[in-house]
Amino acid sequence: MTRSELPSADLDRVADLWGARTPHSKGSVWPARQDLRLEDGLQIDDVDHWVGSACVLCSNGCGCDIAVKDGRMVGVRGRVDDPVNHGRLGPKGLYGSTPWASSPDRLTRPMVRVAGRLVETDWETAMGRVVEVSRRLLEEKGPLSHGFYTSGQLFLEEYYALAVLGKAGLGTPHMDGNTRLCTATAAVAMKESFGSDGQPGSYTDIDSCDAIFLYGHNMAETQTVLWSRVLDRIEGEDPPIVVCVDPRRTPVAEAAERTGGVHLAPYLGTNLALLNGLQRELLQNGWIDEEWVAAHALGLEELRKVVDPYTPEKVAQICGVEADQVRRAAEVFGTTRDVLSTVLQGFYQSHQATAASVAVNNLHLLRGMIGRPGAGVLQMNGQPTAQNNRECGADGDLPAFRNWDNPEHVQQLATLWNVEVQQIPHWAPPTHAMQLFRYAEQGSIGFLWISATNPAVSMPESARIRKVLDGEQCFVVVQDLFLTETAQLADVVLPAAGWGEKTGTFTNVNRTVHLSDQAVAPPGEARSDLEIFQLYAREMGLTDKDGEPLLQWDGPEEVFEAWKECTRGRPCDYTGLTYQRLREGGIPWPASEQHPEGTDRLYTDHVFPTHTEQCETYGHDLATGGGVTEQEHRAIGANGRAFLKGSPYVPAHERPSPEFPLLYSTGRTVYQFHTRTKTGRARSLQQAAPDPWVELSAPDAERLGISEGDVVRVESPRGAIEVRARVGFVREGTVFAPFHYGSWDRDALSTTRQANELTMTVWDPVSKQPCFKTAACRVIRVRAGDGPSTAPTTAASRPVGALSPTRGGAATTSVTVPTPTYRLDPAGRAR
Ligand code: SF4
């Protein structure tokens, strides 16, 4: 690649979140730009070699190369030829990808609990203890005594090994991941509408849409590179209109106002009422494609009845927005040619999550706006490899989007794994995470294996979760990179290799599969998660019905080849992919003989995987979660048509009261990821957002006598935190807290910083995703602060008053480069 301009060096990407604009007009290819960060003092020529990968600090999946020097990872650069990011990286990717790896507090040896304390030991001792407890419980209580709680951050091969181990090896239905907290609703919303998980749209839809609706999705902070792509459209010719649904005045909300769209800021817990109102407006104004709906969807008349009561005035009254805002948003959706919708945690972690997210799909189906460039739905993910967890079945689903309730699907797996069909649990729906922790609390699960996640900080009602993990009733194994808050409560801790220290693949939101090759050796005795699962399976003597080892693969590439067979003919068909092909860059599935280059967008033929024999679920009632039976599904006769499903709005579990008059919501900041395991060890990111805070609206702050930086106590019926106040732009009556902050970087296990002390153990009836967005709370001023809060002044947490801006990120470079041809990009093919 020849550079067309000199490098733009010393860019502070803490201050400049999205980098320089490269405007592009509707239907043109997004121009390339390469971003780079190397450790201070290093130049390009100092790098020994580069290793291909993709970033794992959010779900966007930006292609990157890892810089290696003297056996260490020392930086990253964006891959210009990658279809996801066209060379760009965001602040988290640039600053947070590599520093954690050489952090002095990495786990390098296994640990076991002795007389109440965790002490280092060898693998034989640690795994010996795991196997001894596991064997004993299997003998005494059977497989239901075992639970596995994994992550959105392992590699595909590791999830698949875990799924085979749990389902075919042990036969436990108690498997889930922290994806339940993050993308369970995305998966379920697609299953309910289209018959199967699998993202209909593509990032390339941004390049050709006329309007973009972001529902509970602060893309500007959670997927910064994707937001660059939107900003570049906004600054080009024929910019799209942006519509934002968010209770905070995010950069997305500001873009909505700039582009002639609308910022709808509903009361927490009222998303479904708003979406019912939008659907009603489409129907009332005739903004639907009746012919398309008749040919390709079911349920129009039932939906009409459900949404009919939601006039703009009624929606305004329930949601606290203007009736004309509802009309304007519906008009944009109903009269614009190509609309892209994106949905994220504001909907998924809310009250009536599945119904509200399905309503977004409904809007697209009503207009027949699916399967063509610019007219897509992106039911987003939060974590980098959440998609693979869902695909592989380590979250409880059956691998390759098979239906646990379809005997033929279960038989296919039994044949593939060479085990008896009865061995694979399928007599009831798989256990979801919230229930799994309940069983661990009661002790019916006596063996809980947690990999690459930190529920002590990330699960709701964290005081309860700490008690579950700390109690005698359940033996807890944790495998991770660091002694996290969760690992500190474990009985056995296993040191794991991280990104760049092992090889494997993973898949992002728009189905793009990347290979991440091993760049460096893991520290000390740390092993890849795949090796750890294989070691356990071997020590346990888990075999198929011929007595052959169950996880018999020699390395990740063999697992990938086995996985390909598992996906053959399924919606997520990987059979056309190889490690070799993936070394050239990301490829979106399905990639098979019919689609050797992969597939940019699903449902271009408007045929959906809803045949009874094919679908991933027979569906549910969205209000109650009650399941549709196989006979009922067959009687409906969807046969390739999508489902329009509606549900009435009902109020959230907890509403403001005189005692707790405000509503509390958790969320993210642009500078941190998850529980800061990696980003908290990256100087530039940690300095930008070092401590937790709560955001209050200016009217609420004034009423409560609270000023910027004051220490406040936020209390809910379940717990309390004491943090500093940011007087900002959250909607009045709402309190926002970032959920990233636990106590691993403190002297003691302090819980007064943890946002999840306040949240509730309640979940959506269909997706079982816990509700982090609606808890009643009160805020009390404790004392004056010694200055403003350290909350970032950028993006959604910016203050009402003027403060010194957040900056100070280490130097990065960014260069514009010639834009290559991207094989699947519709605009590129049109050139
Ligand atoms: S947008 Fe996400 S995947 Fe891309 S560089 Fe930033 S954190 Fe990494």
Side-chain angles (χ1 to χ4, degrees):
M1 185 71 55
T2 312
R3 290 186 173 142
S4 62
E5 288 182 13
L6 286 174
S8 174
D10 294 340
L11 290 177
D12 174 355
R13 292 294 302 280
V14 161
D16 183 359
L17 298 175
W18 309 294
R21 296 281 52 79
T22 52
H24 70 131
S25 56
K26 183 180 175 188
S28 66
V29 176
W30 187 34
R33 180 190 92 195
Q34 187 171 47
D35 298 339
L36 165 82
R37 158 76 188 147
L38 293 175
E39 274 185 7
D40 293 346
L42 290 182
Q43 304 294 325
I44 291 258
D45 292 343
D46 297 326
V47 175
D48 294 338
H49 60 278
W50 298 87
V51 177
S53 184
C55 175
V56 287
L57 290 171
C58 84
S59 61
N60 209 51
C62 297
C64 67
D65 294 316
I66 305 170
V68 180
K69 179 173 175 54
D70 299 332
R72 287 180 52 240
M73 296 192 282
V74 294
V76 284
R77 69 178 178 199
R79 288 184 74 154
V80 172
D81 57 358
D82 195 278
V84 169
N85 53 320
H86 295 203
R88 287 164 189 73
L89 294 173
K92 279 200 292 281
L94 288 164
Y95 295 124
S97 287
T98 57
W100 59 271
S102 40
S103 182
D105 57 341
R106 279 292 297 276
L107 287 171
T108 56
R109 299 194 69 206
M111 302 176 91
V112 292
R113 193 166 291 280
V114 178
R117 286 185 51 241
L118 282 171
V119 295
E120 286 192 350
T121 186
D122 53 37
W123 273 98
E124 198 181 343
T125 306
M127 190 53 80
R129 189 171 292 192
V130 172
V131 167
E132 182 250 311
V133 174
S134 184
R135 280 215 181 104
R136 176 167 49 77
L137 280 169
L138 284 174
E139 270 166 35
E140 288 171 4
K141 296 185 172 181
L144 296 184
S145 60
H146 280 52
F148 292 84
Y149 184 63
T150 188
S151 173
Q153 296 172 52
L154 298 187
F155 287 163
L156 178 154
E157 294 77 0
E158 295 166 333
Y159 292 128
Y160 188 53
L162 177 59
V164 177
L165 183 162
K167 292 176 203 307
L170 301 175
T172 178
H174 303 325
M175 305 186 76
D176 204 355
N178 65 19
T179 48
R180 183 67 56 185
L181 319 181
C182 137
T183 85
T185 302
V188 168
M190 291 187 279
K191 290 184 212 178
E192 294 293 333
S193 297
F194 312 127
S196 173
D197 193 350
Q199 199 65 254
S202 164
Y203 292 169
T204 60
D205 289 334
I206 293 171
D207 307 338
S208 49
C209 65
D210 299 301
I212 173 166
F213 277 58
L214 296 103
Y215 301 91
H217 182 194
N218 181 10
M219 187 196 285
E221 292 192 66
T222 54
Q223 286 87 13
T224 52
V225 170
L226 205 58
W227 185 242
S228 300
R229 199 164 183 155
V230 175
L231 288 178
D232 285 344
R233 273 297 317 281
I234 291 174
E235 301 224 347
E237 286 173 29
D238 311 317
I241 298 170
V242 176
V243 174
C244 169
V245 180
D246 200 308
R248 296 166 82 207
R249 193 175 153 75
T250 64
V252 177
E254 289 168 1
E257 288 164 8
R258 276 203 314 278
T259 58
V262 197
H263 172 208
L264 294 152
Y267 290 133
L268 295 179
T270 64
N271 292 334
L272 183 58
L274 175 64
L275 267 288
N276 282 350
L278 294 180
Q279 292 172 89
R280 181 185 183 276
E281 283 298 287
L282 254 58
L283 292 163
Q284 289 283 316
N285 288 288
W287 292 326
I288 71 168
D289 185 337
E290 301 225 18
E291 206 177 309
W292 190 95
V293 172
H296 302 293
L298 291 163
L300 177 61
E301 290 317 309
E302 292 86 342
L303 181 69
R304 213 186 274 278
K305 282 185 213 140
V306 170
V307 302
D308 192 55
Y310 296 87
T311 62
E313 285 68 28
K314 177 167 174 158
V315 172
Q317 179 242 323
I318 295 172
C319 303
V321 298
E322 302 288 328
D324 280 347
Q325 288 184 309
V326 180
R327 289 193 183 92
R328 171 64 185 148
E331 183 190 12
V332 174
F333 199 98
T335 61
T336 314
R337 184 177 184 277
D338 292 318
V339 180
L340 169 66
S341 291
T342 77
V343 194
L344 196 58
Q345 309 304 2
F347 272 40
Y348 300 162
Q349 295 180 338
S350 273
H351 176 54
Q352 296 189 288
T354 302
S357 304
V358 162
V360 175
N361 298 340
N362 289 347
L363 288 167
H364 281 261
L365 293 171
L366 286 172
R367 290 208 56 210
M369 207 153 47
I370 198 158
R372 66 169 194 259
V377 181
L378 292 171
Q379 296 279 356
M380 297 292 293
N381 301 339
Q383 295 187 77
T385 73
Q387 186 67 42
N388 302 110
N389 192 356
R390 281 153 41 192
E391 291 166 5
C392 293
D395 67 343
D397 284 342
L398 291 189
F401 300 158
R402 287 181 171 84
N403 182 353
W404 67 267
D405 207 8
N406 181 333
E408 175 56 28
H409 285 194
V410 185
Q411 181 59 57
Q412 288 166 6
L413 291 174
T415 304
L416 190 71
W417 296 338
N418 193 29
V419 296
E420 300 295 345
V421 73
Q422 301 90 318
Q423 176 70 6
I424 301 171
H426 64 282
W427 56 87
T431 311
H432 59 88
M434 303 302 288
Q435 191 64 35
L436 199 146
F437 275 85
R438 176 77 181 127
Y439 291 154
E441 184 174 40
Q442 294 168 320
S444 70
I445 287 180
F447 175 99
L448 178 62
W449 189 325
I450 298 168
S451 45
T453 187
N454 193 5
V457 178
S458 58
M459 291 281 284
E461 207 177 343
S462 42
R464 171 178 169 256
I465 298 299
R466 280 193 302 277
K467 218 167 139 203
V468 173
L469 297 171
D470 204 21
E472 292 294 311
Q473 84 295 345
C474 185
F475 181 82
V476 176
V477 182
V478 171
Q479 74 194 46
D480 213 316
L481 308 173
F482 295 95
L483 199 61
T484 62
E485 292 86 344
T486 300
Q488 290 177 49
L489 301 170
D491 295 287
V492 173
V493 179
L494 304 173
W499 177 83
E501 297 168 345
K502 58 184 182 179
T503 293
T505 55
F506 52 95
T507 308
N508 76 347
V509 171
N510 74 337
R511 298 169 279 98
T512 303
V513 186
H514 283 104
L515 173 67
S516 184
D517 267 314
Q518 182 174 5
V520 299
E525 298 173 27
R527 298 182 183 189
S528 77
D529 297 274
L530 175 61
E531 287 171 323
I532 297 172
F533 293 140
Q534 287 190 289
L535 176 65
Y536 168 76
R538 205 163 48 239
E539 296 293 312
M540 289 290 291
L542 301 180
T543 61
D544 65 14
K545 62 185 182 188
D546 293 331
E548 296 297 321
L550 198 60
L551 308 189
Q552 56 188 302
W553 310 296
D554 185 11
E557 190 164 3
E558 282 195 14
V559 187
F560 187 75
E561 290 300 314
W563 166 247
K564 283 164 57 178
E565 280 314 305
C566 186
T567 66
R568 189 177 289 282
R570 296 299 301 159
C572 55
D573 195 324
Y574 277 66
T575 52
L577 301 178
T578 61
Y579 269 27
Q580 198 51 40
R581 289 196 67 202
L582 291 171
R583 286 200 170 92
E584 291 160 22
I587 301 175
W589 62 248
S592 58
E593 231 171 76
Q594 294 79 39
H595 308 282
E597 302 294 332
T599 308
D600 189 39
R601 145 178 325 92
L602 301 184
Y603 311 135
T604 52
D605 57 0
H606 304 152
V607 176
F608 301 89
T610 53
H611 293 84
T612 303
E613 297 73 22
Q614 188 186 19
C615 62
E616 192 180 357
T617 176
Y618 299 134
H620 299 83
D621 177 84
L622 299 186
T624 63
V628 176
T629 65
E630 187 257 336
Q631 289 85 352
E632 288 165 340
H633 189 272
R634 197 174 289 284
I636 293 167
N639 298 331
R641 286 174 289 176
F643 290 100
L644 289 161
K645 288 190 174 183
S647 183
Y649 158 79
V650 294
H653 303 80
E654 201 164 77
R655 302 294 302 150
S657 63
E659 204 184 348
F660 297 101
L662 299 168
L663 275 178
Y664 177 82
S665 169
T666 65
R668 292 192 259 170
T669 173
V670 66
Y671 301 113
Q672 300 285 4
F673 181 63
H674 217 253
T675 58
R676 295 184 303 129
T677 310
K678 289 177 176 171
T679 52
R681 291 174 171 90
R683 184 174 40 84
S684 293
L685 298 173
Q686 180 62 11
Q687 282 177 357
D691 286 308
W693 69 91
V694 289
E695 279 166 51
L696 296 163
S697 71
D700 285 332
E702 189 179 347
R703 199 168 35 76
L704 295 164
I706 292 167
S707 302
E708 169 69 37
D710 284 355
V711 176
V712 297
R713 184 174 169 83
V714 188
E715 296 175 343
S716 84
R718 292 155 293 279
I721 53 172
E722 276 191 21
V723 293
R724 303 235 296 222
R726 159 61 36 94
V727 181
F729 291 92
V730 69
R731 105 158 260 156
E732 194 175 345
T734 301
V735 177
F736 172 89
F739 86 93
H740 312 286
Y741 299 88
S743 55
W744 59 259
D745 50 349
R746 301 276 136 165
D747 290 339
L749 270 180
S750 158
T751 58
T752 57
R753 296 155 45 94
Q754 245 175 250
N756 277 318
E757 296 296 308
L758 278 68
T759 46
M760 271 188 297
T761 305
V762 294
W763 55 85
D764 176 72
V766 188
S767 69
K768 319 298 183 193
Q769 183 152 350
C771 181
F772 292 98
K773 304 294 191 201
T774 43
C777 75
R778 62 184 167 226
V779 182
I780 302 154
R781 183 177 182 274
V782 175
R783 61 180 181 274
D786 52 5
S789 148
T790 53
T793 63
T794 50
S797 54
R798 71 189 167 86
V800 168
L803 293 177
S804 331
T806 299
R807 60 181 168 212
T812 71
T813 63
S814 186
V815 291
T816 40
V817 291
T819 304
T821 298
Y822 297 98
R823 279 187 307 241
L824 290 173
D825 191 315
R829 278 179 288 176
R831 280 196 300 195

